Amino acid sequence: MIRRFTLLLVAVVAVAFGVTSGAASAQRGPDRIDLVSQTTFVSEAEVSIAVRLPNLQPGRHMQIRVFRPINEPERILDTITNPPTENPEIANFVIEDLSEIAVGSGDLFMITLPDDEVGEMLRRSPGAIPVRIDLTDEDQAIHDTLVTFVIAEDTTLSARIDLGFVADAQSPLARRADSIELDPADAVDRVADAVNNAPAPVLISFAPETLTALADPTTDGGQLALDRIRRLLDGHLIPLSPWVSIDEEAWRLTGDPERLIQLFAQGREVTEKLLGRTPMPIARIDADTTADTVAFLRSVGLTGGVVEPSQIDDVALTQADRRPIEVLDANGITVPVLVVDRAFEASLIGEDPELIAQHRFTELMFEAKTVSTDRGILLDLSTVDRVPLVLLIDLFETTDRLGLTSVDDLLARPPARDDTGSVLRVELLATPPSSTDLAASDLRLRLAEAVLDSYAAMLAPAEGLLAPLRDILTAAMSDELDADSRRIFADVIFDVVADVTAQVELIESSRITLASQTAALPVAIHNGANLAMNVTVKTTSEKLRFPDGEELQITLEPGLNEFEIPIEAVTSGDARMFITVTSPDGHLDLTDGSVNVRSTAISGLGLTVSLVSLAVLLTWWLRTILRVRRSRRAATVSSTPSADDGNPAVSVNEESTS
């Protein structure tokens, strides 16, 4: 049965400008019903519902129907999407002649349900009581429908559902190849947008590299911005993060985990130094993260994470039911993660934020009654519609079943369980790495790093000159850069080192004559750079020896540097000494040259060789003389011409022969 009342008996009408929220007061065209406010819980007072009818047209009526309570969250959602059409059990009445009192924009209607007629029925049974309001015309055609709920609450205990929050306040990469490009005001605004009016502690994502850029003396207004960011982040959570935003999975695949470990260590160090805060061991995990990378993240201190719904399979997501999920790493060890509830965020989008807030509040109230353990809903303040969220949080203050908390508290709650009651353990669903060209970039960056390490050994302890170069090298790993950009960053290192080392010159002298076997050979090296450099001077020669060794560690001051190298001549005559100047580790060749040396002194070995040669010569001479003399003393036979009688001309002593 439909009961008809005059408007003055059941509705108080007020012409209100600027009374409603910004979203509700927006002009959305005629024949609409917007919820402004309402009684949330049934009590001893009358139930009132304030609605707004923008641009109300003549001849419109309003029908209000109140249905029996429901308790199941699924039925509540179904009632919202499919307004009930059956006969109402509690109330059914019509407000006529709306146009006689309110025509135009900005009209607010306060509908009060008669307590003497329906109040007792509203209080009879606990549950969510659907109230359907239709805007109709004289032909009973429905132009718009609004469904809301008033709650008859019971006093039995229930679990609790809390909202937790994350937000993204990252600025673009500030460190460029040849400068720092950062707007300090923009960096502050990003953090302010993330935390302003935040209802609870928020896990704020940002790159510590931004802090380094703000602290750089060349950044105008950087220190002031850094102070403001420090104040804005007070009371909020800072996640574990590398110094610059990177694709951990892609860089891990290059086989250089030490570089990643250093990057996370640098991020922690900068955060502690510039913010005076220790990061939480919680991180937002990239979509391409595999079990191997989860293991790596654990090695740098990760104890909890935040993931997107696409990283968890649908079955596990349903079983989790807004509880932490244990994610497996490559070693079978688990890390709890929370899933950003994108579906809940989507449910907050709509044209009537007040009505949306009432719907979500009612759903959560009765969901809390159906679960056995506390639940958590993680929302991203960077993407969620703040207007209905604020209205929803205002409603939270009316009950102790719903509340707000921090991400670390949600992670500490009992984990999700599967259908068998066992703890739910899953591997993340990983997309292919977004960066597929890092192998070549990694090789070039490794070479640049080796060059920079050699350069650092030359300049130590001049760390102030090296810090900007190390920042450039580290910034080259940013996921904002492509392969060509990384090459440009690495080339900066090569160019700087080449420019400095090219200013070291060995001054070659004319031929040096040595009058003794040992001497100190003068050497001159010019350092054209405006800084001192530690170098190694290496000497080699085939005919010279170096009593103090072939390497000499010296410091080249700016300008001309003269020093002596002790040498020892192996032989007399001409010799060439080759000189090479390198970095202390020998990896960088700075300059080289040679020195010609003539030795007029006879060395000990030369003297020995000469004496031996002389002895051999004298012996040969002596033996030759003796041999000649023996030849002269030997018997000689003289041959003379024969006599006519044919007897030899030899005189023979006969007596001696008898």
Side-chain angles (χ1 to χ4, degrees):
M1 176 180 178
I2 299 177
R3 302 184 61 185
R4 298 182 181 274
F5 297 85
T6 63
L7 181 62
L8 294 178
L9 292 177
V10 297
V12 178
V13 181
V15 179
F17 297 97
V19 174
T20 62
S21 70
S25 61
Q27 300 297 320
R28 299 192 185 94
D31 292 331
R32 290 192 56 84
I33 309 174
D34 291 330
L35 179 67
V36 176
S37 64
Q38 70 166 76
T39 299
T40 300
F41 293 98
V42 175
S43 64
E44 295 301 322
E46 292 181 324
V47 173
S48 297
I49 301 174
V51 297
R52 182 173 177 272
L53 306 178
N55 298 316
L56 181 65
Q57 301 299 303
R60 298 294 185 253
H61 310 290
M62 189 183 297
Q63 182 177 5
I64 298 96
R65 286 178 278 182
V66 184
F67 299 84
R68 67 179 183 274
I70 55 179
N71 290 280
E72 301 82 2
E74 296 81 6
R75 288 191 60 197
I76 293 174
L77 180 59
D78 183 66
T79 300
I80 294 171
T81 55
N82 301 292
T85 57
E86 68 271 15
N87 291 328
E89 296 183 352
I90 297 180
N92 184 6
F93 55 91
V94 174
I95 301 173
E96 297 180 331
D97 300 326
L98 296 177
S99 59
E100 293 182 3
I101 297 180
V103 177
S105 63
D107 296 324
L108 181 69
F109 293 80
M110 182 71 73
I111 304 168
T112 301
L113 302 182
D115 188 66
D116 56 345
E117 297 190 23
V118 300
E120 186 60 32
M121 289 185 287
L122 293 175
R123 302 182 187 96
R124 182 179 302 167
S125 301
I129 303 170
V131 178
R132 172 172 176 164
I133 303 174
D134 293 315
L135 183 65
T136 64
D137 58 20
E138 295 175 347
D139 297 326
Q140 301 301 312
I142 298 175
H143 292 270
D144 195 21
T145 298
L146 181 150
V147 176
T148 187
F149 300 87
V150 290
I151 300 173
E153 189 176 21
D154 62 18
T155 58
T156 58
L157 296 177
S158 71
R160 181 181 175 89
I161 298 178
D162 292 302
L163 302 184
F165 304 96
V166 297
D168 185 2
Q170 293 203 71
S171 296
L173 181 67
R175 171 63 66 178
R176 314 313 296 181
D178 55 357
S179 63
I180 294 177
E181 298 179 6
L182 177 66
D183 181 358
D186 178 70
V188 173
D189 289 343
R190 289 173 183 268
V191 177
D193 290 343
V195 303
N196 278 348
N197 301 316
V202 183
L203 185 71
I204 306 291
S205 297
F206 68 93
E209 182 264 345
T210 301
L211 304 177
T212 303
L214 290 173
D216 192 283
T218 63
T219 303
D220 292 336
Q223 191 59 53
L224 179 61
L226 192 58
D227 293 339
R228 292 186 60 191
I229 289 175
R230 189 181 297 113
R231 290 192 296 269
L232 286 169
L233 291 176
D234 186 36
H236 297 285
L237 309 180
I238 300 174
L240 178 71
S241 60
W243 181 73
V244 66
S245 178
I246 61 170
D247 185 343
E248 289 90 352
E249 177 71 19
W251 281 106
R252 183 191 63 79
L253 292 174
T254 64
D256 190 9
E258 186 61 32
R259 185 192 300 275
L260 296 180
I261 292 173
Q262 293 174 357
L263 205 57
F264 275 89
Q266 184 178 358
R268 179 190 297 271
E269 179 183 354
V270 168
T271 301
E272 292 177 346
K273 177 181 178 181
L274 298 182
L275 293 183
R277 301 277 300 279
T278 299
M280 297 289 295
I282 304 169
R284 299 191 72 162
I285 299 176
D286 293 340
D288 60 1
T289 301
T290 62
D292 288 310
T293 300
V294 173
F296 165 76
L297 292 173
R298 285 188 60 258
S299 72
V300 297
L302 184 77
T303 62
V306 173
V307 300
E308 292 292 328
S310 59
Q311 295 174 261
I312 305 293
D313 70 72
D314 293 339
V315 174
L317 202 58
T318 301
Q319 292 175 335
D321 193 21
R322 294 172 173 167
R323 291 172 291 182
I325 300 174
E326 295 290 331
V327 169
L328 291 162
D329 72 359
N331 302 313
I333 302 174
T334 60
V335 175
V337 301
L338 298 173
V339 181
V340 179
D341 200 331
R342 299 297 182 186
F344 192 84
E345 288 184 5
S347 72
L348 293 176
I349 299 174
E351 295 181 339
D352 192 341
E354 289 83 1
L355 183 62
I356 290 172
Q358 285 289 340
H359 287 170
R360 301 292 85 79
F361 178 77
T362 304
E363 291 174 25
L364 294 178
M365 280 289 296
F366 287 89
E367 181 180 338
K369 293 290 293 182
T370 63
V371 296
S372 58
T373 59
D374 292 348
R375 298 294 198 268
I377 299 175
L378 187 62
L379 301 178
D380 188 345
L381 290 180
S382 303
T383 56
V384 71
D385 190 335
R386 293 282 190 102
V387 174
L389 177 62
V390 170
L391 295 171
L392 175 61
I393 292 173
D394 288 343
L395 293 173
F396 278 21
E397 297 179 1
T398 63
T399 179
D400 57 2
R401 295 182 184 179
L402 308 177
L404 309 172
T405 190
S406 60
V407 172
D408 55 331
D409 176 66
L410 292 180
L411 282 168
R413 294 187 175 182
R417 295 184 176 273
D418 59 23
D419 293 338
T420 67
S422 301
V423 173
L424 184 63
R425 294 181 173 89
V426 301
E427 285 193 11
L428 291 176
L429 301 178
T431 60
S434 57
S435 301
T436 58
D437 58 349
L438 293 186
S441 295
D442 183 56
L443 290 176
R444 193 169 188 84
L445 292 179
R446 289 190 194 187
L447 178 59
E449 186 174 26
V451 169
L452 187 57
D453 288 342
S454 297
Y455 185 57
M458 292 171 53
L459 302 186
E463 187 62 31
L465 299 173
L466 299 172
L469 296 179
R470 294 198 184 279
D471 287 348
I472 290 173
L473 187 60
T474 307
M477 298 177 66
S478 171
D479 53 17
E480 296 182 31
L481 303 179
D482 56 18
D484 291 337
S485 299
R486 293 190 185 96
R487 185 180 302 108
I488 293 173
F489 274 61
D491 287 346
V492 170
I493 307 299
F494 299 138
D495 293 344
V496 169
V497 175
D499 288 344
V500 173
T501 57
Q503 299 183 62
V504 178
E505 179 185 4
L506 176 66
I507 307 300
E508 296 193 15
S509 61
S510 57
R511 185 171 61 184
I512 298 174
T513 301
L514 303 180
S516 61
Q517 182 182 352
T518 60
L521 186 69
V523 176
I525 299 177
H526 184 265
N527 176 11
N530 191 29
L531 49 87
M533 286 185 276
N534 302 322
V535 299
T536 297
V537 178
K538 298 180 179 180
T539 55
T540 58
S541 177
E542 293 181 354
K543 297 182 179 181
L544 299 174
R545 290 189 300 187
F546 306 96
D548 293 344
E550 295 184 346
E551 293 188 1
L552 177 65
Q553 307 292 332
I554 65 172
T555 298
L556 297 179
E557 299 294 339
L560 186 64
N561 294 262
E562 297 179 319
F563 56 95
E564 295 179 336
I565 299 177
I567 63 171
E568 180 179 334
V570 176
T571 64
S572 60
D574 292 337
R576 174 170 291 184
M577 181 177 71
F578 296 95
I579 300 175
T580 303
V581 182
T582 71
S583 58
D585 59 9
H587 293 161
L588 297 180
D589 290 337
L590 278 64
T591 186
D592 58 24
S594 62
V595 177
N596 293 320
V597 178
R598 167 166 290 183
S599 175
T600 59
I602 301 178
S603 66
L605 177 60
L607 180 59
T608 301
V609 172
S610 298
L611 291 175
V612 171
S613 299
L614 180 59
V616 171
L617 181 60
L618 290 175
T619 301
W620 181 79
W621 282 345
L622 180 60
R623 293 180 64 183
T624 301
I625 293 173
L626 292 176
R627 188 166 54 249
V628 170
R629 288 182 178 179
R630 282 197 298 268
S631 298
R632 289 177 179 177
R633 292 174 183 172
T636 60
V637 177
S638 298
S639 298
T640 59
S642 301
D644 293 341
D645 56 3
N647 293 325
V650 177
S651 179
V652 177
N653 188 346
E654 295 181 359
E655 185 176 346
S656 62
T657 61
S658 58

